[in-house]
């Protein structure tokens, strides 16, 4: 089965939904493919204080549902599906969905975002889902009154540690340098928290655990101080990795120009990709800011550019 649309949006974070709002208001009836994590990375965060329009702060899931409802109200069609293959070699563009439908689109906005990175420690995959996670919001609840460790020193690590400190008896932060990268106000809160201990200049080496039959559990994290080379194992029940993200651009390899880190290359300020008529917005093309509000703004830009492109290049 195939469907023809004027504008297809791939991805459902702040960038995708905002592109939907703009393309809907241009009366282009956009179709938005929501993917496996509708709402994107913000749905796995807790408190959000820096998205404008929420004077008392809010949470990621609430903000994303608000933007989604706004996009729906103005006419964006949402589809619970995943794009499995794209062919951008000629217009109209062809995109295959996992449910077998082929979407033929006059213009495409790519807003697939980014995914959490894994460290690649020897035992990481063995204990993944059994005490090793990249999502404190999703899995923190399993560690009530227990001890956990967060790896990293960016905003995600600091937010995760603060969130976990409300649930756990004790939270370690293992950070490879002697200063954090994350926002100052988060640093202040972390350093004030009585049950958070920071291990500076320290890198994780491996995850320790126990297995009895199918039951596996984490018992510790082996770490090394990079200045003294001393190793120790800290006793923990849960390990949360917060070491940054990788752009979700695998689908576009060979179709769009990507940079060395896998980000889609766009013309600064207008979201044009290497293929005329395909635009990109949000974290999949932003190695610098990676903020929800910046993603939303780039979604607006991509939506406006795609509307203009359709006016100038009708099919
Ligand atoms: P990030 O800013 O890239 O920080 C990653 C952290 O992990 C850094 O501290 C880094 O250390 C450390 N790290 C990276 N690779 C490592 C490795 N192999 N071994 C040990 N440590 C490693 O990533 P993020 O915290 O996920 O944030 C991503 C983006 O989202 C940022 O732009 C951030 O501002 C944004 N964000 C914003 C908010 C908010 O505004 N509320 C919340 C979450 C995220 P170094 O510092 O030494 O490089």
């Amino acid at each position: 089965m195939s469907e023809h649309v004027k504008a297809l949006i791939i991805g459902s974070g702040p960038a995708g939904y905002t592109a939907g709002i703009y393309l809907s208001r241009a009366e282009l009836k956009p179709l938005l493919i929501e993917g496996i994590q509708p709402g994107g990375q913000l749905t796995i965060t807790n408190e959000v204080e820096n998205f404008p329009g929420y004077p008392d702060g809010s949470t990621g899931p609430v903000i994303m549902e608000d933007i989604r409802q706004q996009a729906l109200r103005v006419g964006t069609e949402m589809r619970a599906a995943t794009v499995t293959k794209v062919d951008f070699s000629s217009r109209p563009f062809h995109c295959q969905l996992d449910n077998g439908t082929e979407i033929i689109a006059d213009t495409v906005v790519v807003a697939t975002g980014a995914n959490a990175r894994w460290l690649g420690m020897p035992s990481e995959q063995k204990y993944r889902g059994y005490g090793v996670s990249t999502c404190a919001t999703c899995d923190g609840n399993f560690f009530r009154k227990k001890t956990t460790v967060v790896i990293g020193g960016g905003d995600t690590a600091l937010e995760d540690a603060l969130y976990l400190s409300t649930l756990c008896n004790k939270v370690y932060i293992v950070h490879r340098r002697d200063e954090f990268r994350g926002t100052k106000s988060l640093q202040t809160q972390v350093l004030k928290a009585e049950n958070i201990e920071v291990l500076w200049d320290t890198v994780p080496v491996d995850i320790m655990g126990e297995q009895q039959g199918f039951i596996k559990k984490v018992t510790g994290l082996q770490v090394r101080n990079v200045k003294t080379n001393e190793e120790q194992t800290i006793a923990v029940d849960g390990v949360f990795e917060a070491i940054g993200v990788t752009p979700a651009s695998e689908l576009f390899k060979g179709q769009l120009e990507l940079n060395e880190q896998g980000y889609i290359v766009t013309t600064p300020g207008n979201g044009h990709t290497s293929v005329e008529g395909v635009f990109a917005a949000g974290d999949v093309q932003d190695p610098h800011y990676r903020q929800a509000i910046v993603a939303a703004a780039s979604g607006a830009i991509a939506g406006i550019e795609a509307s203009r492109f359709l006016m100038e290049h009708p099919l």
Side-chain angles (χ1 to χ4, degrees), residues 50 153-156 159 175-177 181 243-244 289-291:
N50 54 6
D155 282 331
T156 305
E159 283 190 350
H175 182 39
R176 63 183 177 184
R177 290 190 293 133
R181 174 182 295 278
I243 58 153
Y289 300 106
R290 294 178 288 169
Q291 302 293 306

Side-chain angles (χ1 to χ4, degrees), residues 41-42 45 47-51 116-119 151-160 174-183 186 202-204 242-245 283 286-292:
Q41 290 176 86
L42 227 62
T45 62
E47 302 299 311
V48 176
E49 283 193 327
N50 54 6
F51 199 91
R117 282 173 49 207
W118 292 89
L119 273 162
I151 302 165
D155 282 331
T156 305
L158 302 185
E159 283 190 350
D160 285 359
V174 165
H175 182 39
R176 63 183 177 184
R177 290 190 293 133
D178 60 1
E179 62 177 349
F180 288 131
R181 174 182 295 278
T183 311
L186 292 173
T202 301
V203 290
I243 58 153
V245 294
D283 285 10
D286 176 12
H288 301 295
Y289 300 106
R290 294 178 288 169
Q291 302 293 306

Side-chain angles (χ1 to χ4, degrees), residues 116-167:
R117 282 173 49 207
W118 292 89
L119 273 162
M121 287 180 280
S123 304
E124 184 178 82
Q125 293 308 317
K126 180 173 175 187
Y127 293 106
R128 186 172 166 178
Y130 295 91
V132 181
S133 166
T134 55
C135 181
T137 313
C138 321
D139 300 325
N141 217 18
F142 299 121
F143 299 94
R144 277 180 189 275
K145 305 223 183 307
K146 295 192 170 176
T147 301
T148 53
V149 57
V150 177
I151 302 165
D155 282 331
T156 305
L158 302 185
E159 283 190 350
D160 285 359
L162 286 168
Y163 173 64
L164 290 168
S165 74
T166 64
L167 305 169

Side-chain angles (χ1 to χ4, degrees), residues 200-261:
W200 302 104
D201 299 311
T202 301
V203 290
V205 177
D206 203 4
I207 291 158
M208 307 290 128
E210 287 172 3
Q211 180 165 10
Q212 280 183 339
F214 291 115
I215 316 273
K216 291 186 252 182
K217 68 171 185 177
V218 166
T219 56
L221 180 72
Q222 188 187 351
V223 296
R224 179 170 55 83
N225 183 300
V226 289
K227 292 205 165 140
T228 62
N229 257 335
E230 264 174 43
E231 288 200 359
Q232 62 164 319
T233 298
I234 49 171
V236 294
D237 306 289
V239 176
F240 290 87
E241 299 187 24
I243 58 153
V245 294
T246 309
S249 60
E250 193 67 24
L251 189 62
F252 309 104
K253 268 188 189 159
Q255 299 286 330
L256 299 174
E257 186 187 347
L258 308 180
N259 75 8
E260 279 168 10
Q261 292 86 41

